[in-house]
Amino acid sequence: MDKPMPTELVNGDRAVAEHGDKGRLWLEAMWCADPLADAVVSDFFPDSSATAAVGTALAGGVDAVTDAPHSLQALFAVLDVEPDWLDHDQLDRAADSLIQHTAALGIVLGAASLVRGAANTIAGKPLALTGRYVSQPAVRSVEVGEWLRKIISPGGMRRDSDGFAYTVRVRVIHAHVRRALVRGGYWDEAAWGVPIPQPYMAFTLAEFGHIAIEAMYKVGVRFSDRELADIYHLWRYVGHVIGMDERLNPHDEADHVRIEELYRLTSPGPGQDDREFVEALTYDYLIPELANVLPGPYAVRLKVASKLMQSLQRVFIGDTAADELQIPDTPLKHVMSRVGPALAVAGRGRVLLAGGSERLSKRAYRERDEEMTRMKANYRVTHEMVDNAPPTTMRAQATAG
């Protein structure tokens, strides 16, 4: 490597010994961010801002931006050309497969994916330093849900569709956060590498991909081999649009699993910020949302939801990781670990009762949209993502320009 690995990472030798060139690339890429998007947010836009210019280019093409700088032209020269491997039919099939299990996906993304990600204090530092997920976990979760709603829709990732546009906006938000953390003097690059580096971007795709799929299996969701291939294809294209280096962008389940292993292997473990994040996410958002769908008096529902959520988190990430994150233990985890087969049978019955897979998907899209409307109203979310959220100190620091 041209540079030593960040000093707070661990097990670098094991990463190379166990994963060879892929492990070496993982460590080297801790110094790699997103040169194209980073250049855009660092450029000068005389008549607007980087965020506004990207929005104009998404809507009308880069030629619609007056005196578009080279950085913006370079970004859209990549975004406007679809890779040869892309198959839009696979993307649409993936959306139809996932939408049929919206409830399970919503649970596992919070109780499994985000909690699994919190096991690495370096990866979590951008969230910790901006403070927004701890202070506003429900609002942040609704924003992520809105992004997913645009992606997991028929045609959602076509160039002129909202899923594509939202994904590019996430890419630009990441670039603004990197710039703000470095310029503000909050970031220790020697210890942590660059903010939001390529390996942790890859792990985020695994959170939405294999980690979610594995957790969904534990609660009874069964995807066919073809459905799994479609879902991994969707996340590969999302990775392409969000700025992944193709050498690290995961293509299939094996890539996702390797990324998860390298993430855990080189992580120094969670810090107090990560424990506070998991606590805020669980008690301010996940437990109340689960209580909403349970019967009975609210106080009882809340108590039951608390035990259920803690047990699910332990089933999903394991006792060791749960102990490190100080998730309370509960014997209910032994019951929850055995419900998958029964729920799988019930899941097959859902397709029959709905009159077939296509009708189930149509109904699920409608119900998903209604649920997002409810959540936005409940949590008073009137914006789409953080780049057009009401002004806050964090937003002013992290997404200005």
Side-chain angles (χ1 to χ4, degrees):
M1 289 191 298
D2 294 334
K3 299 175 71 173
M5 75 176 190
T7 57
E8 289 193 11
L9 260 66
V10 300
N11 297 321
D13 290 343
R14 281 186 59 193
V16 175
E18 295 178 16
H19 295 276
D21 289 342
K22 295 293 187 179
R24 188 174 293 107
L25 177 61
W26 178 268
L27 299 174
E28 292 173 351
M30 288 294 169
W31 305 105
C32 301
D34 180 358
L36 291 175
D38 292 339
V40 169
V41 302
S42 297
D43 217 331
F44 175 65
F45 292 82
D47 298 323
S48 64
S49 67
T51 298
V54 168
T56 299
L58 282 168
V62 72
D63 291 340
V65 180
T66 303
D67 297 325
H70 175 73
S71 62
L72 191 70
Q73 295 177 37
L75 174 63
F76 277 86
V78 173
L79 290 173
D80 287 339
V81 178
E82 293 182 343
D84 293 339
W85 47 260
L86 179 62
D87 183 337
H88 282 286
D89 289 339
Q90 280 195 269
L91 303 189
D92 290 347
R93 292 198 304 266
D96 286 347
S97 297
L98 288 168
I99 197 63
Q100 294 181 14
H101 306 285
T102 297
L105 181 61
I107 290 172
V108 303
L109 288 177
S113 300
L114 291 177
V115 177
R116 175 70 73 185
N120 186 332
T121 188
I122 298 176
K125 286 195 180 294
L127 280 175
L129 291 169
T130 58
R132 192 160 177 266
Y133 227 143
V134 173
S135 64
Q136 297 177 297
V139 173
R140 182 72 180 99
S141 296
V142 171
E143 292 169 351
V144 172
E146 184 65 10
W147 172 59
L148 288 172
R149 184 166 77 97
K150 302 300 185 181
I151 290 172
I152 303 174
S153 294
M157 285 301 293
R158 289 190 178 275
R159 171 60 180 84
D160 59 351
S161 294
D162 286 343
F164 184 97
Y166 274 52
T167 302
V168 175
R169 288 168 63 183
V170 170
R171 182 174 183 173
V172 174
I173 290 167
H174 287 169
H176 277 302
V177 171
R178 288 190 199 97
R179 183 168 180 259
L181 291 176
V182 172
R183 290 181 67 188
Y186 307 114
W187 197 257
D188 186 343
E189 186 169 295
W192 307 326
V194 299
I196 318 178
Q198 286 282 324
Y200 295 160
M201 291 166 62
F203 180 78
T204 298
L205 296 172
E207 288 182 294
F208 291 109
H210 178 259
I211 292 174
I213 291 167
E214 183 180 53
M216 290 170 78
Y217 186 91
K218 292 178 179 178
V219 295
V221 175
R222 302 291 185 265
F223 292 113
S224 69
D225 289 344
R226 179 184 179 182
E227 288 173 328
L228 289 171
D230 293 340
I231 292 167
Y232 286 121
H233 190 76
L234 169 64
W235 290 114
R236 181 185 180 188
Y237 187 51
V238 171
H240 171 80
V241 175
I242 215 165
M244 286 297 309
D245 184 317
E246 190 58 27
R247 297 174 300 165
L248 276 160
N249 192 17
H251 297 187
D252 53 25
E253 180 178 301
D255 288 341
H256 281 240
V257 171
R258 182 181 62 255
I259 286 164
E260 294 166 39
E261 291 174 352
L262 284 164
Y263 184 85
R264 287 193 293 267
L265 180 62
T266 58
S267 166
Q272 186 56 33
D273 288 330
D274 304 292
R275 298 183 187 98
E276 291 174 0
F277 156 65
V278 170
E279 181 178 20
L281 176 69
T282 301
Y283 289 95
D284 295 351
Y285 177 67
L286 295 177
I287 290 174
E289 283 299 306
L290 182 56
N292 283 339
V293 301
L294 297 177
Y298 185 72
V300 176
R301 285 187 279 138
L302 202 60
K303 186 174 181 179
V304 172
S306 178
K307 295 298 183 184
L308 282 173
M309 185 54 62
Q310 291 159 2
S311 67
L312 284 170
Q313 288 172 331
R314 284 189 168 265
V315 168
F316 293 150
I317 72 170
D319 284 330
T320 299
D323 288 343
E324 290 178 346
L325 289 167
Q326 297 178 355
I327 296 170
D329 204 349
T330 168
L332 190 58
K333 68 187 180 186
H334 301 298
V335 177
M336 297 304 297
S337 67
R338 292 174 172 83
V339 302
L343 292 175
V345 173
R348 287 191 290 273
R350 286 174 64 244
V351 178
L352 294 174
L353 290 172
S357 181
E358 183 177 346
R359 295 183 72 174
L360 177 59
S361 292
K362 288 182 178 179
R363 188 180 73 187
Y365 283 120
R366 183 177 65 253
E367 292 174 347
R368 189 267 310 272
D369 291 346
E370 291 170 353
E371 180 65 7
M372 281 303 304
T373 299
R374 177 196 67 80
M375 291 175 63
K376 287 181 176 181
N378 282 4
Y379 296 108
R380 297 179 175 85
V381 178
T382 58
H383 61 281
E384 297 163 346
M385 292 191 297
V386 66
D387 60 357
N388 68 346
T392 65
T393 301
M394 191 287 301
R395 184 191 174 224
Q397 291 177 344
T399 64

